[in-house]
Amino acid sequence: MEVVHEVVMGKPLWMWVLFMSIVVALLALDLGVFHRKAREIGVRESLILSAFYITIGLGFGAWVWANLGAVSGREYLTGFIVEKTLSMDNIFVISLVFSYFGIPRLYQHRVLFWGILGVILLRGIVIGVGAVLVANFHWILYLFALLLIFTGIKMLLPGDDMPSIEDNRALKLMRRIFRITPELHGQRFFIRRAHPKTSKVVTWVTPLFIAMILIEIVDLIFAVDSVPAIFAITTDPFIVYTSNIFAILGLRALYFALAAVIDRFTYLKPALAMVLVFIGSKIFVADMAGWEKFPTTISLGVTLALIGGGIVYSLWRTQRAAPINS
């Protein structure tokens, strides 16, 4: 008797179930075991956790390679590396949000955990919409490619990219909509207390909740770059979503490991800009060369070379500059 496997977005249902089971298990392990109680996360612990999440992500990539073929494996790894690098910008903005609201390290993990949970859901929606658009309107890949090229060139141009949290429109809107307490209340997102004018007990939101919402908005903005980037690498929804989510899952640990030394990666941004320009140009190069698809081996190799070079050069230059600045 022939076994019929239900297919969801081009892949058997069991593959999606396997992936989601791993994600749920990792989230449960994080909240229920690693960080059951509020405590500060040190650099050593965050580095170990980062290595753990990266190993899981790469391990899943090896599984993709073994089960879906070398092309899919290389596409997954390229997407994973690009998304991981793009998340470095997220870390910088997240650190600004925490500094603005005065969120101590003791409570930052709670914000990031629930923030990442929201990100997983939002990315699923954005990627699902993107997959439907790509499947029905192939020309949109060229639009994504032009957007990546434009973004990459813009990142290479000099300018003041320091975002202002105080002038953020979303923050101004939330201040009009919510009653926000001026101070933190431990790990709580909401509290009940009397309104100063009416004395009626009402619900207030704390700065911890506002910080979490802003982090969600930050990711939605960064998705404008990352989602077109991964669709320029592959149009397979399974590879797109899994590489994105496994890269994002380790964002919390990566934040605690790199937030204090993010300035040392000065030259990673131009390297990432060149990666975006390269990924965006692939579809045009493939058309001009008469290829059905840009070779995944070259794509992965160029991405690794640019990002690896940016990291090494950044560390080398900042190490040389350290004695001068001291």
Side-chain angles (χ1 to χ4, degrees):
M1 180 178 175
E2 186 179 351
V3 178
V4 178
H5 294 288
E6 186 175 348
V7 175
V8 179
M9 288 192 286
K11 291 293 179 289
L13 178 61
W14 69 265
M15 287 191 177
W16 289 101
V17 171
L18 173 66
F19 162 68
M20 292 308 300
S21 298
I22 295 171
V23 171
V24 170
L26 288 172
L27 291 172
L29 189 67
D30 192 326
L31 192 64
V33 179
F34 293 156
H35 306 102
R36 187 170 53 184
K37 296 181 180 179
R39 59 182 177 83
E40 288 192 31
I41 300 175
V43 174
R44 182 176 179 275
E45 181 184 355
S46 60
L47 286 172
I48 293 172
L49 284 174
S50 289
F52 170 74
Y53 280 111
I54 289 171
T55 301
I56 295 293
L58 293 177
F60 191 84
W63 180 86
V64 168
W65 195 304
N67 287 271
L68 299 179
V71 172
S72 293
R74 285 190 288 266
E75 288 174 344
Y76 172 92
L77 288 174
T78 305
F80 179 80
I81 292 164
V82 169
E83 181 59 40
K84 205 72 175 174
T85 310
L86 280 168
S87 68
M88 297 286 280
D89 267 352
N90 285 39
I91 289 171
F92 173 70
V93 179
I94 289 169
S95 66
L96 289 180
V97 171
F98 283 151
S99 297
Y100 178 80
F101 288 105
I103 310 291
R105 288 176 66 91
L106 181 65
Y107 304 135
Q108 288 175 4
H109 181 270
R110 176 172 168 79
V111 174
L112 290 174
F113 177 86
W114 292 108
I116 296 300
L117 195 60
V119 165
I120 291 172
L121 297 174
L122 286 173
R123 285 294 176 97
I125 295 170
V126 173
I127 290 171
V129 171
V132 171
L133 289 174
V134 168
N136 290 279
F137 309 101
H138 182 74
W139 56 263
I140 207 165
L141 287 174
Y142 294 91
L143 189 62
F144 284 169
L146 289 172
L147 176 63
L148 290 174
I149 294 170
F150 172 78
T151 302
I153 293 172
K154 186 179 177 183
M155 287 171 67
L156 286 170
L157 297 175
D160 183 14
D161 296 325
M162 181 74 74
S164 171
I165 304 299
E166 181 64 34
D167 297 329
N168 185 276
R169 292 181 181 178
L171 178 58
K172 290 180 178 179
L173 179 63
M174 284 189 287
R175 280 174 170 162
R176 289 199 296 267
I177 295 174
F178 299 117
R179 289 180 289 267
I180 306 172
T181 63
E183 69 288 321
L184 293 170
H185 290 265
Q187 292 195 86
R188 297 169 70 182
F189 289 135
F190 306 96
I191 65 164
R192 297 276 294 173
R193 73 178 188 188
H195 194 283
K197 293 181 179 178
T198 63
S199 298
K200 183 181 177 181
V201 176
V202 292
T203 301
W204 295 68
V205 301
T206 69
L208 212 64
F209 176 80
I210 300 300
M212 182 186 69
I213 297 299
L214 281 179
I215 289 171
E216 299 278 9
I217 293 170
V218 164
D219 181 78
L220 206 54
I221 293 169
F222 278 106
V224 174
D225 293 334
S226 64
V227 172
I230 188 66
F231 271 111
I233 295 167
T234 176
T235 55
D236 184 335
F238 185 76
I239 303 299
V240 170
Y241 190 59
T242 55
S243 61
N244 252 254
I245 298 309
F246 274 118
I248 291 169
L249 274 176
L251 182 61
R252 299 182 308 284
L254 195 64
Y255 167 78
F256 289 109
L258 299 181
V261 294
I262 194 70
D263 290 337
R264 289 204 62 186
F265 295 91
T266 309
Y267 297 94
L268 185 58
K269 187 171 183 178
L272 179 57
M274 287 187 282
V275 168
L276 293 180
V277 172
F278 165 70
I279 290 173
S281 64
K282 287 195 312 171
I283 190 170
F284 301 107
V285 172
D287 283 352
M288 288 187 290
W291 299 336
E292 184 179 347
K293 196 171 186 180
F294 195 91
T296 54
T297 305
I298 298 175
S299 182
L300 178 59
V302 172
T303 301
L304 280 170
L306 286 172
I307 291 174
I311 292 172
V312 171
Y313 188 65
S314 294
L315 294 174
W316 177 67
R317 284 297 299 266
T318 52
Q319 188 176 30
R320 287 185 64 198
I324 298 173
N325 296 334
S326 59

Short mmCIF file of all heavy atoms in Angstrom, two decimals, residues 175-231:
data_model
loop_
_atom_site.label_atom_id
_atom_site.label_comp_id
_atom_site.label_asym_id
_atom_site.label_seq_id
_atom_site.Cartn_x
_atom_site.Cartn_y
_atom_site.Cartn_z
N ARG A 175 2.64 55.99 23.54
CA ARG A 175 2.45 56.91 24.67
C ARG A 175 1.06 57.54 24.66
O ARG A 175 0.53 57.90 25.73
CB ARG A 175 3.53 57.99 24.65
CG ARG A 175 4.86 57.51 25.20
CD ARG A 175 5.95 58.54 25.04
NE ARG A 175 7.14 58.16 25.79
CZ ARG A 175 8.36 58.67 25.58
NH1 ARG A 175 8.52 59.60 24.63
NH2 ARG A 175 9.38 58.28 26.30
N ARG A 176 0.48 57.67 23.46
CA ARG A 176 -0.89 58.21 23.38
C ARG A 176 -1.94 57.14 23.67
O ARG A 176 -3.02 57.44 24.18
CB ARG A 176 -1.13 58.81 21.99
CG ARG A 176 -0.39 60.10 21.73
CD ARG A 176 -0.99 60.88 20.57
NE ARG A 176 -0.86 60.15 19.30
CZ ARG A 176 0.14 60.32 18.45
NH1 ARG A 176 1.11 61.19 18.74
NH2 ARG A 176 0.19 59.64 17.33
N ILE A 177 -1.63 55.89 23.32
CA ILE A 177 -2.61 54.81 23.47
C ILE A 177 -2.61 54.21 24.88
O ILE A 177 -3.68 53.98 25.47
CB ILE A 177 -2.33 53.70 22.44
CG1 ILE A 177 -2.54 54.22 21.02
CG2 ILE A 177 -3.22 52.48 22.69
CD1 ILE A 177 -2.14 53.24 19.94
N PHE A 178 -1.42 53.96 25.44
CA PHE A 178 -1.30 53.24 26.72
C PHE A 178 -1.03 54.18 27.89
O PHE A 178 -0.47 55.26 27.71
CB PHE A 178 -0.16 52.22 26.64
CG PHE A 178 -0.34 51.15 25.60
CD1 PHE A 178 0.56 51.04 24.55
CD2 PHE A 178 -1.39 50.26 25.66
CE1 PHE A 178 0.42 50.06 23.58
CE2 PHE A 178 -1.55 49.28 24.70
CZ PHE A 178 -0.66 49.17 23.65
N ARG A 179 -1.44 53.70 29.05
CA ARG A 179 -1.00 54.32 30.31
C ARG A 179 0.31 53.62 30.68
O ARG A 179 0.31 52.43 31.00
CB ARG A 179 -2.04 54.14 31.41
CG ARG A 179 -3.31 54.98 31.23
CD ARG A 179 -4.29 54.72 32.36
NE ARG A 179 -4.88 53.38 32.24
CZ ARG A 179 -6.01 53.13 31.61
NH1 ARG A 179 -6.70 54.10 31.06
NH2 ARG A 179 -6.48 51.89 31.55
N ILE A 180 1.41 54.34 30.64
CA ILE A 180 2.73 53.74 30.86
C ILE A 180 3.29 54.20 32.20
O ILE A 180 3.33 55.41 32.48
CB ILE A 180 3.71 54.13 29.73
CG1 ILE A 180 3.11 53.76 28.36
CG2 ILE A 180 5.06 53.43 29.92
CD1 ILE A 180 3.92 54.28 27.19
N THR A 181 3.71 53.26 33.02
CA THR A 181 4.30 53.63 34.31
C THR A 181 5.68 54.26 34.07
O THR A 181 6.40 53.86 33.15
CB THR A 181 4.47 52.40 35.21
OG1 THR A 181 5.38 51.48 34.59
CG2 THR A 181 3.14 51.71 35.45
N PRO A 182 6.05 55.24 34.87
CA PRO A 182 7.37 55.87 34.67
C PRO A 182 8.52 54.98 35.13
O PRO A 182 9.67 55.22 34.76
CB PRO A 182 7.29 57.14 35.53
CG PRO A 182 6.27 56.82 36.58
CD PRO A 182 5.28 55.91 35.93
N GLU A 183 8.21 53.93 35.91
CA GLU A 183 9.26 53.08 36.45
C GLU A 183 8.97 51.61 36.14
O GLU A 183 7.86 51.23 35.77
CB GLU A 183 9.40 53.26 37.96
CG GLU A 183 8.22 52.72 38.79
CD GLU A 183 6.96 53.54 38.68
OE1 GLU A 183 7.06 54.79 38.63
OE2 GLU A 183 5.88 52.94 38.65
N LEU A 184 10.01 50.78 36.27
CA LEU A 184 9.86 49.35 36.08
C LEU A 184 9.17 48.73 37.29
O LEU A 184 9.23 49.27 38.40
CB LEU A 184 11.23 48.70 35.89
CG LEU A 184 11.99 49.04 34.61
CD1 LEU A 184 13.42 48.52 34.70
CD2 LEU A 184 11.30 48.47 33.38
N HIS A 185 8.54 47.57 37.07
CA HIS A 185 7.92 46.81 38.16
C HIS A 185 8.39 45.37 38.05
O HIS A 185 7.61 44.46 37.73
CB HIS A 185 6.39 46.92 38.09
CG HIS A 185 5.86 48.27 38.44
ND1 HIS A 185 5.44 48.61 39.70
CD2 HIS A 185 5.74 49.39 37.68
CE1 HIS A 185 5.05 49.87 39.71
NE2 HIS A 185 5.22 50.36 38.50
N GLY A 186 9.68 45.19 38.30
CA GLY A 186 10.28 43.86 38.18
C GLY A 186 10.16 43.35 36.76
O GLY A 186 10.41 44.08 35.79
N GLN A 187 9.73 42.08 36.62
CA GLN A 187 9.59 41.46 35.30
C GLN A 187 8.20 41.63 34.70
O GLN A 187 7.91 41.09 33.64
CB GLN A 187 9.87 39.95 35.40
CG GLN A 187 11.30 39.59 35.72
CD GLN A 187 11.55 38.12 35.42
OE1 GLN A 187 11.87 37.73 34.30
NE2 GLN A 187 11.38 37.30 36.44
N ARG A 188 7.37 42.41 35.35
CA ARG A 188 5.98 42.50 34.93
C ARG A 188 5.81 43.42 33.72
O ARG A 188 6.41 44.49 33.63
CB ARG A 188 5.11 42.99 36.09
CG ARG A 188 5.13 42.03 37.28
CD ARG A 188 4.50 42.65 38.51
NE ARG A 188 3.06 42.81 38.38
CZ ARG A 188 2.30 43.37 39.32
NH1 ARG A 188 2.85 43.82 40.44
NH2 ARG A 188 1.00 43.48 39.14
N PHE A 189 4.94 43.00 32.80
CA PHE A 189 4.60 43.80 31.64
C PHE A 189 3.38 44.70 31.93
O PHE A 189 3.24 45.77 31.35
CB PHE A 189 4.27 42.92 30.43
CG PHE A 189 5.47 42.23 29.84
CD1 PHE A 189 5.41 40.88 29.50
CD2 PHE A 189 6.65 42.92 29.60
CE1 PHE A 189 6.50 40.24 28.94
CE2 PHE A 189 7.75 42.29 29.05
CZ PHE A 189 7.68 40.95 28.72
N PHE A 190 2.49 44.21 32.82
CA PHE A 190 1.27 44.95 33.16
C PHE A 190 1.11 45.01 34.68
O PHE A 190 1.51 44.08 35.39
CB PHE A 190 0.03 44.26 32.56
CG PHE A 190 0.12 44.02 31.08
CD1 PHE A 190 0.53 42.79 30.59
CD2 PHE A 190 -0.22 45.01 30.17
CE1 PHE A 190 0.62 42.55 29.23
CE2 PHE A 190 -0.14 44.78 28.81
CZ PHE A 190 0.28 43.55 28.33
N ILE A 191 0.52 46.08 35.14
CA ILE A 191 0.17 46.18 36.57
C ILE A 191 -1.22 46.81 36.69
O ILE A 191 -1.69 47.46 35.76
CB ILE A 191 1.19 47.02 37.38
CG1 ILE A 191 1.19 48.48 36.91
CG2 ILE A 191 2.58 46.44 37.32
CD1 ILE A 191 1.85 49.43 37.89
N ARG A 192 -1.84 46.59 37.83
CA ARG A 192 -3.12 47.24 38.13
C ARG A 192 -2.89 48.21 39.27
O ARG A 192 -2.39 47.85 40.33
CB ARG A 192 -4.15 46.19 38.55
CG ARG A 192 -4.50 45.18 37.47
CD ARG A 192 -5.57 45.70 36.54
NE ARG A 192 -6.85 45.88 37.21
CZ ARG A 192 -7.91 46.45 36.63
NH1 ARG A 192 -7.81 46.91 35.39
NH2 ARG A 192 -9.04 46.57 37.29
N ARG A 193 -3.24 49.47 39.04
CA ARG A 193 -3.14 50.45 40.11
C ARG A 193 -4.06 51.63 39.82
O ARG A 193 -4.58 51.78 38.71
CB ARG A 193 -1.71 50.93 40.30
CG ARG A 193 -1.15 51.86 39.27
CD ARG A 193 0.27 52.25 39.65
NE ARG A 193 0.80 53.29 38.80
CZ ARG A 193 2.06 53.70 38.84
NH1 ARG A 193 2.90 53.14 39.71
NH2 ARG A 193 2.49 54.66 38.06
N ALA A 194 -4.26 52.49 40.83
CA ALA A 194 -5.22 53.58 40.72
C ALA A 194 -4.75 54.65 39.74
O ALA A 194 -3.57 54.98 39.67
CB ALA A 194 -5.45 54.20 42.09
N HIS A 195 -5.72 55.18 38.99
CA HIS A 195 -5.43 56.30 38.10
C HIS A 195 -5.29 57.56 38.95
O HIS A 195 -6.10 57.79 39.85
CB HIS A 195 -6.56 56.46 37.08
CG HIS A 195 -6.21 57.34 35.94
ND1 HIS A 195 -6.19 58.72 36.03
CD2 HIS A 195 -5.87 57.05 34.66
CE1 HIS A 195 -5.85 59.23 34.86
NE2 HIS A 195 -5.65 58.25 34.02
N PRO A 196 -4.28 58.39 38.71
CA PRO A 196 -4.05 59.57 39.57
C PRO A 196 -5.19 60.58 39.55
O PRO A 196 -5.37 61.34 40.51
CB PRO A 196 -2.76 60.18 38.99
CG PRO A 196 -2.64 59.62 37.61
CD PRO A 196 -3.25 58.27 37.67
N LYS A 197 -5.99 60.61 38.47
CA LYS A 197 -7.07 61.61 38.37
C LYS A 197 -8.40 61.09 38.89
O LYS A 197 -9.14 61.79 39.58
CB LYS A 197 -7.22 62.07 36.92
CG LYS A 197 -6.03 62.87 36.40
CD LYS A 197 -6.27 63.32 34.96
CE LYS A 197 -5.08 64.13 34.46
NZ LYS A 197 -5.27 64.56 33.03
N THR A 198 -8.72 59.81 38.55
CA THR A 198 -10.03 59.26 38.91
C THR A 198 -9.99 58.34 40.13
O THR A 198 -11.05 58.02 40.69
CB THR A 198 -10.60 58.45 37.73
OG1 THR A 198 -9.73 57.34 37.47
CG2 THR A 198 -10.67 59.32 36.47
N SER A 199 -8.79 57.93 40.52
CA SER A 199 -8.60 56.98 41.63
C SER A 199 -9.16 55.59 41.32
O SER A 199 -9.17 54.71 42.18
CB SER A 199 -9.24 57.50 42.93
OG SER A 199 -8.60 58.70 43.31
N LYS A 200 -9.64 55.39 40.10
CA LYS A 200 -10.15 54.08 39.69
C LYS A 200 -8.98 53.17 39.36
O LYS A 200 -8.00 53.58 38.75
CB LYS A 200 -11.05 54.25 38.47
CG LYS A 200 -11.70 52.96 38.01
CD LYS A 200 -12.56 53.22 36.78
CE LYS A 200 -13.16 51.92 36.26
NZ LYS A 200 -14.00 52.14 35.04
N VAL A 201 -9.06 51.91 39.79
CA VAL A 201 -7.99 50.95 39.52
C VAL A 201 -8.06 50.52 38.05
O VAL A 201 -9.08 50.02 37.59
CB VAL A 201 -8.11 49.71 40.43
CG1 VAL A 201 -7.04 48.68 40.07
CG2 VAL A 201 -7.97 50.12 41.89
N VAL A 202 -6.98 50.78 37.33
CA VAL A 202 -6.93 50.49 35.89
C VAL A 202 -5.62 49.76 35.57
O VAL A 202 -4.72 49.65 36.40
CB VAL A 202 -7.02 51.79 35.06
CG1 VAL A 202 -8.38 52.43 35.19
CG2 VAL A 202 -5.92 52.76 35.46
N THR A 203 -5.56 49.25 34.34
CA THR A 203 -4.37 48.54 33.88
C THR A 203 -3.35 49.51 33.30
O THR A 203 -3.69 50.37 32.49
CB THR A 203 -4.74 47.48 32.82
OG1 THR A 203 -5.68 46.55 33.39
CG2 THR A 203 -3.50 46.73 32.35
N TRP A 204 -2.10 49.36 33.73
CA TRP A 204 -0.99 50.14 33.19
C TRP A 204 0.01 49.18 32.54
O TRP A 204 0.11 48.02 32.92
CB TRP A 204 -0.26 50.90 34.31
CG TRP A 204 -1.09 51.97 34.99
CD1 TRP A 204 -2.18 51.78 35.79
CD2 TRP A 204 -0.86 53.37 34.93
NE1 TRP A 204 -2.66 52.99 36.25
CE2 TRP A 204 -1.86 54.00 35.74
CE3 TRP A 204 0.08 54.18 34.30
CZ2 TRP A 204 -1.93 55.37 35.91
CZ3 TRP A 204 0.01 55.57 34.47
CH2 TRP A 204 -0.99 56.14 35.26
N VAL A 205 0.72 49.67 31.54
CA VAL A 205 1.81 48.88 30.97
C VAL A 205 3.13 49.45 31.48
O VAL A 205 3.24 50.65 31.76
CB VAL A 205 1.80 48.88 29.41
CG1 VAL A 205 0.50 48.31 28.90
CG2 VAL A 205 2.05 50.26 28.85
N THR A 206 4.12 48.60 31.60
CA THR A 206 5.41 49.03 32.12
C THR A 206 6.39 49.28 30.97
O THR A 206 6.16 48.84 29.84
CB THR A 206 6.01 47.96 33.05
OG1 THR A 206 6.37 46.81 32.25
CG2 THR A 206 5.02 47.55 34.13
N PRO A 207 7.48 50.00 31.22
CA PRO A 207 8.49 50.21 30.17
C PRO A 207 9.04 48.90 29.59
O PRO A 207 9.50 48.88 28.45
CB PRO A 207 9.60 50.98 30.92
CG PRO A 207 8.88 51.70 32.01
CD PRO A 207 7.80 50.76 32.45
N LEU A 208 8.95 47.81 30.37
CA LEU A 208 9.41 46.51 29.89
C LEU A 208 8.57 46.07 28.68
O LEU A 208 9.10 45.55 27.69
CB LEU A 208 9.31 45.48 31.02
CG LEU A 208 10.34 44.34 31.04
CD1 LEU A 208 11.73 44.89 31.26
CD2 LEU A 208 10.00 43.35 32.15
N PHE A 209 7.26 46.29 28.78
CA PHE A 209 6.35 45.93 27.69
C PHE A 209 6.60 46.81 26.46
O PHE A 209 6.64 46.32 25.32
CB PHE A 209 4.90 46.08 28.15
CG PHE A 209 3.88 45.81 27.08
CD1 PHE A 209 3.53 44.52 26.74
CD2 PHE A 209 3.27 46.87 26.40
CE1 PHE A 209 2.60 44.27 25.74
CE2 PHE A 209 2.34 46.63 25.41
CZ PHE A 209 2.00 45.33 25.08
N ILE A 210 6.79 48.10 26.67
CA ILE A 210 7.03 49.03 25.57
C ILE A 210 8.34 48.68 24.86
O ILE A 210 8.42 48.71 23.62
CB ILE A 210 7.08 50.49 26.08
CG1 ILE A 210 5.74 50.86 26.75
CG2 ILE A 210 7.38 51.45 24.94
CD1 ILE A 210 4.54 50.77 25.84
N ALA A 211 9.36 48.31 25.64
CA ALA A 211 10.64 47.91 25.05
C ALA A 211 10.46 46.67 24.17
O ALA A 211 11.03 46.58 23.08
CB ALA A 211 11.67 47.63 26.15
N MET A 212 9.64 45.71 24.63
CA MET A 212 9.39 44.49 23.86
C MET A 212 8.70 44.81 22.53
O MET A 212 9.08 44.29 21.48
CB MET A 212 8.54 43.52 24.66
CG MET A 212 8.29 42.19 23.95
SD MET A 212 7.14 41.11 24.83
CE MET A 212 5.60 42.02 24.64
N ILE A 213 7.70 45.70 22.57
CA ILE A 213 6.98 46.07 21.35
C ILE A 213 7.91 46.78 20.37
O ILE A 213 7.88 46.51 19.15
CB ILE A 213 5.77 46.98 21.68
CG1 ILE A 213 4.76 46.22 22.56
CG2 ILE A 213 5.10 47.47 20.39
CD1 ILE A 213 4.19 44.99 21.91
N LEU A 214 8.78 47.65 20.88
CA LEU A 214 9.73 48.34 20.01
C LEU A 214 10.69 47.36 19.34
O LEU A 214 11.06 47.52 18.17
CB LEU A 214 10.51 49.40 20.79
CG LEU A 214 9.78 50.71 21.08
CD1 LEU A 214 10.68 51.65 21.89
CD2 LEU A 214 9.36 51.40 19.79
N ILE A 215 11.11 46.34 20.09
CA ILE A 215 12.01 45.32 19.53
C ILE A 215 11.30 44.54 18.42
O ILE A 215 11.90 44.21 17.39
CB ILE A 215 12.52 44.40 20.64
CG1 ILE A 215 13.52 45.17 21.53
CG2 ILE A 215 13.18 43.15 20.06
CD1 ILE A 215 13.94 44.43 22.78
N GLU A 216 9.99 44.27 18.61
CA GLU A 216 9.20 43.61 17.56
C GLU A 216 9.16 44.48 16.30
O GLU A 216 9.32 44.00 15.18
CB GLU A 216 7.77 43.37 18.04
CG GLU A 216 7.63 42.47 19.25
CD GLU A 216 7.68 41.00 18.91
OE1 GLU A 216 7.99 40.68 17.74
OE2 GLU A 216 7.42 40.19 19.79
N ILE A 217 8.97 45.79 16.51
CA ILE A 217 8.90 46.72 15.37
C ILE A 217 10.24 46.80 14.66
O ILE A 217 10.31 46.86 13.43
CB ILE A 217 8.44 48.11 15.86
CG1 ILE A 217 6.98 48.04 16.35
CG2 ILE A 217 8.57 49.15 14.75
CD1 ILE A 217 6.50 49.27 17.07
N VAL A 218 11.32 46.79 15.46
CA VAL A 218 12.68 46.82 14.89
C VAL A 218 12.87 45.62 13.97
O VAL A 218 13.39 45.75 12.85
CB VAL A 218 13.75 46.82 16.00
CG1 VAL A 218 15.13 46.46 15.45
CG2 VAL A 218 13.81 48.19 16.67
N ASP A 219 12.44 44.43 14.43
CA ASP A 219 12.61 43.24 13.60
C ASP A 219 11.77 43.32 12.33
O ASP A 219 12.21 42.88 11.27
CB ASP A 219 12.23 41.98 14.37
CG ASP A 219 12.41 40.74 13.52
OD1 ASP A 219 13.57 40.29 13.37
OD2 ASP A 219 11.41 40.24 12.97
N LEU A 220 10.57 43.90 12.44
CA LEU A 220 9.72 44.04 11.27
C LEU A 220 10.39 44.93 10.22
O LEU A 220 10.32 44.66 9.02
CB LEU A 220 8.36 44.62 11.69
CG LEU A 220 7.16 44.31 10.81
CD1 LEU A 220 6.98 42.81 10.62
CD2 LEU A 220 5.90 44.92 11.41
N ILE A 221 11.07 45.97 10.70
CA ILE A 221 11.80 46.87 9.80
C ILE A 221 12.98 46.14 9.15
O ILE A 221 13.20 46.24 7.95
CB ILE A 221 12.29 48.13 10.55
CG1 ILE A 221 11.08 48.97 10.99
CG2 ILE A 221 13.23 48.96 9.69
CD1 ILE A 221 11.42 50.08 11.95
N PHE A 222 13.72 45.37 9.97
CA PHE A 222 14.86 44.64 9.43
C PHE A 222 14.42 43.52 8.49
O PHE A 222 15.19 43.09 7.62
CB PHE A 222 15.71 44.07 10.57
CG PHE A 222 16.66 45.07 11.15
CD1 PHE A 222 16.43 45.63 12.39
CD2 PHE A 222 17.79 45.47 10.45
CE1 PHE A 222 17.29 46.57 12.93
CE2 PHE A 222 18.67 46.40 10.98
CZ PHE A 222 18.43 46.96 12.21
N ALA A 223 13.18 43.05 8.65
CA ALA A 223 12.66 42.01 7.76
C ALA A 223 12.56 42.51 6.32
O ALA A 223 12.59 41.72 5.38
CB ALA A 223 11.29 41.52 8.24
N VAL A 224 12.46 43.84 6.17
CA VAL A 224 12.42 44.43 4.83
C VAL A 224 13.70 44.10 4.06
O VAL A 224 13.69 43.96 2.84
CB VAL A 224 12.22 45.97 4.92
CG1 VAL A 224 12.32 46.61 3.55
CG2 VAL A 224 10.87 46.28 5.56
N ASP A 225 14.83 43.98 4.79
CA ASP A 225 16.09 43.58 4.16
C ASP A 225 16.26 42.06 4.13
O ASP A 225 16.62 41.49 3.09
CB ASP A 225 17.28 44.19 4.92
CG ASP A 225 17.34 45.69 4.79
OD1 ASP A 225 16.82 46.22 3.79
OD2 ASP A 225 17.89 46.34 5.70
N SER A 226 16.00 41.42 5.27
CA SER A 226 16.35 40.00 5.40
C SER A 226 15.45 39.09 4.57
O SER A 226 15.93 38.11 3.98
CB SER A 226 16.32 39.58 6.87
OG SER A 226 15.03 39.69 7.39
N VAL A 227 14.16 39.37 4.51
CA VAL A 227 13.25 38.50 3.76
C VAL A 227 13.53 38.56 2.25
O VAL A 227 13.66 37.52 1.61
CB VAL A 227 11.78 38.80 4.10
CG1 VAL A 227 10.85 38.03 3.17
CG2 VAL A 227 11.49 38.42 5.55
N PRO A 228 13.66 39.77 1.65
CA PRO A 228 14.07 39.79 0.23
C PRO A 228 15.41 39.12 -0.01
O PRO A 228 15.63 38.49 -1.04
CB PRO A 228 14.13 41.29 -0.10
CG PRO A 228 13.18 41.92 0.86
CD PRO A 228 13.32 41.12 2.12
N ALA A 229 16.33 39.25 0.98
CA ALA A 229 17.66 38.64 0.82
C ALA A 229 17.57 37.13 0.72
O ALA A 229 18.19 36.51 -0.15
CB ALA A 229 18.56 39.04 1.99
N ILE A 230 16.78 36.52 1.59
CA ILE A 230 16.68 35.06 1.57
C ILE A 230 15.90 34.57 0.35
O ILE A 230 16.21 33.53 -0.23
CB ILE A 230 16.06 34.51 2.89
CG1 ILE A 230 16.14 32.99 2.96
CG2 ILE A 230 14.64 34.98 3.06
CD1 ILE A 230 17.53 32.44 3.03
N PHE A 231 14.90 35.36 -0.10
CA PHE A 231 14.17 34.97 -1.31
C PHE A 231 15.04 35.12 -2.56
O PHE A 231 14.80 34.47 -3.57
CB PHE A 231 12.88 35.79 -1.46
CG PHE A 231 11.70 35.17 -0.77
CD1 PHE A 231 11.14 35.77 0.34
CD2 PHE A 231 11.15 33.99 -1.22
CE1 PHE A 231 10.05 35.20 0.99
CE2 PHE A 231 10.06 33.40 -0.59
CZ PHE A 231 9.51 34.01 0.53
#
